[in-house]
Amino acid sequence: MTSLLPYIGPKLLRAALSIFVVVTLTFFVLRASGDPALQILGPGARAPDLEAFRQRWGLDQPLPVQYLRYLWGALHGDFGNSMLAGKPAAELVLERMPLTLALMLPALALNVVIGIPVGAYAAMHRDSWIDRSVMMLTVLGFTVPSFVLGLLFILIFSVTFGLFPSGGADKWQSFVLPVLTLGVGGAAVIARFTRSAMIEVLSQLYVVAASAKGVTWRQVIHHHAFPNAIIPILTLLGLMLGGQVAGAVLVENVFGWPGIGQLLVVSVGNRDLAVVQVILLLVALTMTSANLTMDLLYGVVDPRLRQARPGSR
């Protein structure tokens, strides 16, 4: 573990800096996007009511003062209250978290279970009809927007065949179409990336030498090619974990899924600043944590990275 400290230290610092930048940009961009008092009370609200609302939520203070108060509260676990619900913003987000995770985790598992084997199989049959078919399907998979794919699934499986409900979250069948919608595009990306990584590794001299020594093709794939190809795939998985939160915004609204994504759209529309800030902070934390985890796995999978200078990578 001690040998990992020089390796992971700079990455922890970069992660903390990234989160700080996200928090700062989110704070100022949201306040530049419109007046929450006008949005929530309506354009017909009287001036005294608008002023009282701004005073109630500290919006009458200069922006630097608001920013410092927000940072001080965040450092003490206080992320502000929802202007609509009057409850702590973090509490509202945590209430929706289980339903969003119920989509994200199966979708991520679907990405891995489908994407990696399909990409590896295509690489092992490079330039064959299998490879071309897989590449054609993956192009369709990641170019079709998730909301279009979701609507297509609703049309086919809900409207035409009546196999699954088109919305809600009240029974297990309701999970199927949102998970498929969120998982198909990611599986296509992983399949293409895995194919490229495997093709690159299979062309390396040590793989060719292993084959020349009489090592079976199965052993070459399992013991030489795949362990080296998996390292760049870990990077992609780390990025996709954070991307699942962003993808959930569209998917949850297509299927009427009451998760964080739906809450984000409602909160942005109503300028519920504290809730939006908590959700975007959660996305930033998810992505940085996932990337840090992948970096730690790099150090375990490839010890050469731990022996490199801390700033060399």
Side-chain angles (χ1 to χ4, degrees), residues 2 32 45 131 155 166 226 228:
T2 304
D131 183 28
L155 179 62
S166 60
F226 188 74
N228 287 282

Side-chain angles (χ1 to χ4, degrees), residues 121-133 135 195 199:
Y121 193 75
M124 293 185 319
H125 297 80
R126 183 180 182 184
D127 296 329
S128 68
W129 68 269
I130 296 175
D131 183 28
R132 289 192 291 271
S133 300
M135 288 302 97
R195 175 186 178 273
I199 287 176

Side-chain angles (χ1 to χ4, degrees), residues 148-208:
V148 174
L149 193 61
L151 292 173
L152 184 62
F153 283 163
I154 289 174
L155 179 62
I156 296 173
F157 297 109
S158 298
V159 177
T160 304
F161 296 106
L163 296 176
F164 302 106
S166 60
D170 53 345
K171 47 189 176 181
W172 71 265
Q173 290 91 339
S174 304
F175 287 75
V176 176
L177 295 185
V179 169
L180 280 177
T181 303
L182 198 56
V184 165
V189 173
I190 290 180
R192 287 186 66 86
F193 199 85
T194 302
R195 175 186 178 273
S196 298
M198 285 289 291
I199 287 176
E200 182 178 352
V201 171
L202 288 172
S203 64
Q204 298 297 314
L205 289 177
Y206 62 86
V207 174
V208 176

Side-chain angles (χ1 to χ4, degrees), residues 57 69-70 73-74 77-83 86-92 272-275 277-278:
W57 296 104
R69 289 176 60 183
Y70 174 73
D78 180 8
F79 297 95
N81 292 337
S82 166
M83 296 177 184
K87 297 170 59 177
E91 182 180 327
L92 284 176
D272 201 348
L273 304 181
V275 176
Q277 287 168 177
V278 169

Side-chain angles (χ1 to χ4, degrees), residues 141-152:
F142 71 77
T143 54
V144 176
S146 58
F147 71 90
V148 174
L149 193 61
L151 292 173
L152 184 62

Side-chain angles (χ1 to χ4, degrees), residues 50-114:
L50 292 172
E51 186 61 28
F53 183 92
R54 295 186 184 106
Q55 290 179 358
R56 163 71 179 83
W57 296 104
L59 300 174
D60 58 332
Q61 300 292 322
L63 272 180
V65 174
Q66 294 183 45
Y67 176 64
L68 292 175
R69 289 176 60 183
Y70 174 73
L71 282 184
W72 180 256
L75 290 173
H76 291 80
D78 180 8
F79 297 95
N81 292 337
S82 166
M83 296 177 184
L84 291 175
K87 297 170 59 177
E91 182 180 327
L92 284 176
V93 174
L94 290 176
E95 287 174 358
R96 303 286 191 109
M97 176 76 78
L99 282 171
T100 296
L101 288 177
L103 293 186
M104 285 175 52
L105 297 180
L108 193 63
L110 197 65
N111 295 164
V112 174
V113 170
I114 294 178

